[in-house]
Amino acid sequence: MSTAPFVIVGGGLAASTAAKTLRDEGYEGDLVIVAGEAHRPYERPPLSKDYLRGEADRSALFTVDEDWYADNAEVRSGQPATGLDTGARRLALADGTVLDYAKLLLATGSSPLVLPFPGADLRGVHLLRTVEQSDQLGVALRAAERVAIIGDGWIGMEVAASARQLDCEAAVFGLGAQPLERVLGPEMGLVFAQLHLDHGVDLRRRTRVAKILGEDGRAVGVETEDGERVDADLVLIAVGATPNTGLAVAGGLDLRGKDLGGGVAVDGTLRTGGADVWAAGDIASVPSPHFGRPIRVEHWQTAIDSGRHAARAMLGDDTVYDKLPYFFTDQYDLGMEYLGFTAGPDAYDEVVVSGSVESLEFVAFWTRNGRVLAGMGVNTWDRMGEVEALIRAEEPPGTAALQSFR
Ligand SMILES: Cc1cc2nc3c(=O)[nH]c(=O)nc-3n(C[C@H](O)[C@H](O)[C@H](O)COP(=O)(O)OP(=O)(O)OC[C@H]3O[C@@H](n4cnc5c(N)ncnc54)[C@H](O)[C@@H]3O)c2cc1C
């Protein structure tokens, strides 16, 4: 029998949840976590919210205590894995160390996309993924009068809200008719647009940034494609993320096509095509029994659920992963949770609302042929179980039932 350890590669929530689950489920062998950042694994949602605004402690990011790792796992932090030989069950680290493993979990997460903007390398241009980047952005926002945010997705809009809460003016540039349109569609994108307009955000919809402007090596604003100059003391590029699949590729593992969201292809137990290699969190493209297609989800709850599921699978459980995608956001006084999946604005017929959009207290349902694909509760809590029942219902619930949901 192999005495090699179980190894987890990753420094986020999927990695820490998997490690905890392995021990909770009785794994007694050696456990090594290879984390590329100089920290034990941590969670990221506060990095654009309360932590960014200086309202939460750094220690709150670390969901598993240092003491737990001391007793349960060897954490090799600041040490990215650079090579993978799945045939020999070996992992190479950046410092030249080679680790044998009995079973391996890849949980390498995502990195911010950097578009090749002229000026993207100027001082004062920020990305947001790590705790250090959040620290730097927080300091810069507090010192600035105005931030330009390129990208109107979740991170861009959350940072815009935090900037306004820090008394910094914010201009947000997005390509769609409304912010967050790719996930929410134009109807609910408009709700978020109005929220930000009400808080004084300078929302530039359907506006492409052509370049970041600099003086003496420092960003001083952006120029849009139609030649307008918008001044800013700092610039955040938040145009999406890309899964960190380099190690999986080095190990010869299959990736899913870009049309399906990319990522490492896994089966229903989160197992990759490599012997004894699983994948979880942002990088995993998992077949959804309910939606009948693979889905790759870049969200907090999926990192927890899939990390837990993969750990159990590493211990022999062959249950198929069947969680519906779930995510949340907090912007100003708006708290939201969303369950389900739509493959974009063309993939649903209508949005049915129950409650009051004006007073920002409602539940919205995205439907196709009467079936519920997804539901979103805005300032409405603890209803996701019922939303899930509607999504999974055999019979379409009917518009009237959805309208009277609240
Ligand atoms: C600013 C911000 C705000 C967010 N807010 C929300 C929110 O409000 N709601 C929500 O649902 N989701 C949110 N998310 C998304 C959520 O944080 C991610 O889905 C989650 O972090 C994914 O966890 P993960 O463990 O898969 O990967 P990650 O958290 O990305 O962790 C991956 C880790 O693996 C490390 N790594 C990569 N390659 C290697 C390698 N070769 N060797 C060793 N280590 C490696 C990386 O350095 C990183 O530390 C937010 C994300 C960010 C960045």
Side-chain angles (χ1 to χ4, degrees):
M1 212 176 100
S2 169
T3 54
F6 280 17
V7 175
I8 298 172
V9 183
L13 203 50
S16 58
T17 308
K20 276 284 272 159
T21 306
L22 283 170
R23 290 305 186 206
D24 290 349
E25 300 280 327
Y27 173 65
E28 289 182 347
D30 290 338
L31 178 58
V32 179
I33 301 175
V34 176
E37 292 178 65
H39 307 286
R40 65 185 193 274
Y42 64 96
E43 65 170 1
R44 296 172 206 274
L47 302 183
S48 51
K49 308 181 188 73
D50 49 357
Y51 182 79
L52 177 66
R53 297 192 299 271
E55 296 164 11
D57 261 12
R58 190 184 258 229
S59 59
L61 304 174
F62 296 91
T63 51
V64 177
D65 289 346
E66 208 153 8
D67 290 353
W68 186 90
Y69 288 110
D71 294 340
N72 288 285
E74 179 191 348
V75 182
R76 296 194 177 209
S77 48
Q79 204 51 253
T82 51
L84 171 60
D85 181 341
T86 56
R89 288 184 164 73
R90 279 204 184 120
L91 190 70
L93 308 195
D95 66 356
T97 315
V98 174
L99 285 179
D100 292 324
Y101 62 81
K103 296 189 181 183
L104 176 70
L105 174 64
L106 300 180
T108 50
S110 307
S111 296
L113 271 174
V114 187
L115 297 185
F117 289 117
D121 55 351
L122 289 163
R123 274 183 291 120
V125 176
H126 295 252
L127 297 171
L128 183 54
R129 185 80 200 175
T130 66
V131 62
E132 288 80 9
Q133 289 168 340
S134 179
D135 289 339
Q136 288 158 10
L137 182 61
V139 168
L141 285 173
R142 271 177 216 98
E145 282 181 17
R146 187 172 168 89
V147 56
I149 298 171
I150 307 174
D152 60 0
W154 296 111
I155 291 179
M157 301 318 288
E158 288 177 359
V159 172
S162 288
R164 295 301 299 127
Q165 286 166 279
L166 291 171
D167 247 349
C168 178
E169 286 179 27
V172 179
F173 300 82
L175 300 182
Q178 302 298 344
L180 302 165
E181 192 176 53
R182 204 169 50 85
V183 180
L184 299 183
E187 302 87 349
M188 287 297 128
L190 178 61
V191 174
F192 281 84
Q194 196 54 54
L195 174 75
H196 283 270
L197 291 169
D198 290 346
H199 285 85
V201 172
D202 177 7
L203 208 52
R204 308 289 183 112
R205 290 164 274 198
R206 296 193 199 279
T207 305
R208 188 182 290 277
V209 169
K211 59 174 140 173
I212 300 172
L213 303 169
E215 275 169 28
D216 302 327
R218 208 185 154 76
V220 293
V222 301
E223 188 177 301
T224 65
E225 209 169 41
D226 48 20
E228 188 188 356
R229 177 187 165 123
V230 179
D231 291 334
D233 307 305
L234 71 146
V235 176
L236 172 71
I237 302 180
V239 292
T242 183
N244 296 322
T245 51
L247 190 61
V249 170
L253 304 179
D254 287 339
L255 302 186
R256 208 79 77 187
K258 283 226 161 61
D259 54 326
L260 290 170
V264 179
V266 296
D267 68 13
T269 65
L270 309 190
R271 189 191 272 268
T272 72
D276 289 324
V277 183
W278 285 260
D282 276 15
I283 60 161
S285 172
V286 187
S288 163
H290 181 79
F291 289 104
R293 52 157 284 174
I295 301 180
R296 189 177 69 78
V297 181
E298 287 177 1
H299 288 299
W300 176 86
Q301 187 66 45
T302 298
I304 296 173
D305 290 338
S306 64
R308 189 176 291 139
H309 199 95
R312 290 185 177 139
M314 290 167 82
L315 296 173
D317 185 350
D318 59 6
T319 307
V320 166
Y321 185 86
D322 190 21
K323 296 278 184 193
L324 300 179
Y326 166 96
F327 64 88
F328 67 92
T329 186
D330 294 312
Q331 299 174 32
Y332 313 104
D333 290 333
L334 183 152
M336 170 279 245
E337 43 184 0
Y338 175 108
L339 186 80
F341 174 74
T342 68
D346 298 332
Y348 63 87
D349 300 329
E350 62 172 335
V351 180
V352 180
V353 173
S354 167
S356 165
V357 171
E358 290 68 35
S359 53
L360 288 180
E361 229 179 287
F362 65 94
V363 180
F365 296 96
W366 285 257
T367 66
R368 174 141 229 173
N369 300 325
R371 306 282 304 260
V372 177
L373 300 173
M376 171 176 82
V378 168
N379 292 333
T380 305
W381 303 105
D382 302 325
R383 306 297 300 276
M384 289 298 119
E386 293 156 81
V387 170
E388 174 158 6
L390 288 167
I391 294 172
R392 293 191 187 273
E394 306 253 313
E395 291 301 318
T399 303
L402 297 180
Q403 283 168 336
S404 58
F405 178 80
R406 279 194 76 249

